[in-house]
Each structure stands twice: as C-alpha cells, then as structure tokens.
Amino acid sequence: MMSQPTPAFNDDHLREETIESTKVYQGHFIDLRRDRVRLPNGREAAREYVVHPGAVMIIGILPDGGLVMERQYRYPVRQTMIEFPAGKLDAGEGGLACAQRELWEETGYRAKRWAKAGIMHPVIGYATEIIEIWFADDLTLGERHLDDGEFLDVFTATADELDLWMQQGLLTDAKTIVGMMWLKQWRAGACQLDWQTTD
C-alpha cells in the first residue's frame, strides 16, 4: 500500500479512563461489558460494549474478474444479506490462517495468492470488533465444509453488479461495501497490495 505520513494528533484531551469494568454477559463468542469511565472533564459516565474476538473478510477474485460472494440469512436484521465471505477468528488464530480457513469452509475455494489490504472497525460505538480485509486470487474450487447449523449460498458477481445492488438497496452489508471500495482502489492502481504465495 502507498505510504503516507501519519498525522501527528494529540488525543490526550479526548481520552476516557476506565475506572471499573463489569462483565454483564458471556456467550459463545460475545462478551458484554459495562464500564465506569472518567471523562476528560473529570466527570464519570457508563459505557456498554461488546468484546469481540475479531474477524476477517475475503475478496476472492476469479480468473474472469468475477468475485466470490455469499447470501446468508442474518437473524438480527431478519433478512438474507449479500456479502463477501467472512468469519471470526478462533482463539490464537492469525488473520491469514482464518481467511484461508473461512474461504475454504464456506465456499470450497482455496487460493494460492493472498494479500492483506487493511483493517476496519465496523461498529465503533458499541463493539471492539476489528475486521481484516484480505484479497485472494488464483482460486481453485473444491468441496466446502460448513459449520453445523450454517446455511449459505455461494455465487459469483461482477463489481458492476455489486455497485448496482448497493444503489438499489439490495446490498447493505457495511463490510462488503468497504471491501468494494478497496477493490476499486486496487483495480484503479490507487493502492498496492503485497501478495504472498501459499501452498
């Protein structure tokens, strides 16, 4: 990626200090916290947020330029979403290993070349979640291995189709929209990717 100077911001006057942290709920992978914090003006306030293990999203590029996509029902919003393949990190798992595993399990594709584009914070108001954005190409298709209770359709689409579906309100998943931005930047030559070959 292109190297730019980092802005020299002083954020000391914006920081909040944790006074006390309480675990409200611990689920399968969601950890809900309620913290008491000291604000920059010295007053106290409450902050409620989800501790998330982190995740990856994969932009899988086929030889014809098509993109590997999924349709999956997302219960919290009660609708089927169009998405790039993605999944959460297992304990101690690195981003590339997770991306390789999720692409294979969900879609059946394996990639010989990988490049990390960047990271995103999808819900900064109430969660610690960070999503690593990975590009994958030189794909071969095999059998997928969905988790128990996981149901999704795999299909391919062009970037133009994704743009149209976004304009029509059919594609509203934030991480996928960010992935489309990275894809456009890379295809336009505005960012460089450091590709690595894997077995």
Side-chain angles (χ1 to χ4, degrees):
M1 294 189 302
M2 297 174 61
S3 178
Q4 297 290 330
T6 303
F9 295 125
N10 182 345
D11 297 332
D12 291 345
H13 63 291
L14 302 173
R15 295 187 197 284
E16 299 177 356
E17 176 188 344
T18 305
I19 299 169
E20 179 183 42
S21 184
T22 304
K23 185 177 291 191
V24 177
Y25 170 79
Q26 177 70 59
H28 176 61
F29 75 96
I30 294 293
D31 174 358
L32 178 60
R33 305 282 178 96
R34 180 182 295 120
D35 289 4
R36 193 160 49 96
V37 302
R38 181 167 290 107
L39 301 175
N41 64 3
R43 294 184 179 175
E44 293 185 10
R47 296 286 182 256
E48 296 177 344
Y49 61 99
V50 172
V51 176
H52 189 282
V56 298
M57 178 183 70
I58 305 104
I59 303 169
I61 306 168
L62 296 166
D64 64 359
L67 304 166
V68 178
M69 305 299 300
E70 297 177 350
R71 292 181 67 250
Q72 185 172 11
Y73 186 79
R74 295 297 192 173
Y75 183 80
V77 294
R78 306 297 200 276
Q79 66 186 80
T80 301
M81 305 295 283
I82 297 169
E83 308 173 50
F84 284 121
K88 72 176 182 68
L89 292 161
D90 287 341
E93 186 177 39
L96 176 58
C98 181
Q100 291 171 323
R101 176 179 57 77
E102 288 290 345
L103 183 67
W104 173 65
E105 287 179 355
E106 293 188 354
T107 72
Y109 281 101
R110 291 190 185 270
K112 289 186 180 174
R113 293 197 330 138
W114 291 87
K116 182 178 175 181
I119 63 169
M120 65 173 287
H121 292 86
V123 283
I124 57 174
Y126 61 87
T128 64
E129 183 177 8
I130 295 175
I131 299 176
E132 294 186 11
I133 301 163
W134 286 87
F135 280 72
D137 78 353
D138 201 352
L139 302 179
T140 55
L141 181 59
E143 183 181 348
R144 55 187 191 149
H145 300 267
L146 295 174
D147 292 335
D148 186 39
E150 188 173 33
F151 302 91
L152 56 88
D153 289 341
V154 178
F155 68 105
T156 62
T158 66
D160 287 343
E161 286 173 323
L162 297 184
D163 281 336
L164 177 61
W165 296 338
M166 185 176 64
Q167 293 164 23
Q168 294 172 335
L170 301 174
L171 191 167
T172 59
D173 175 55
K175 70 182 181 304
T176 299
I177 292 169
V178 170
M180 292 165 56
M181 179 205 71
W182 276 102
L183 180 66
K184 285 182 183 180
Q185 292 290 311
W186 173 63
R187 284 183 168 168
C191 70
Q192 299 296 317
L193 296 175
D194 184 16
W195 290 93
Q196 53 186 299
T197 302
T198 60
D199 293 330

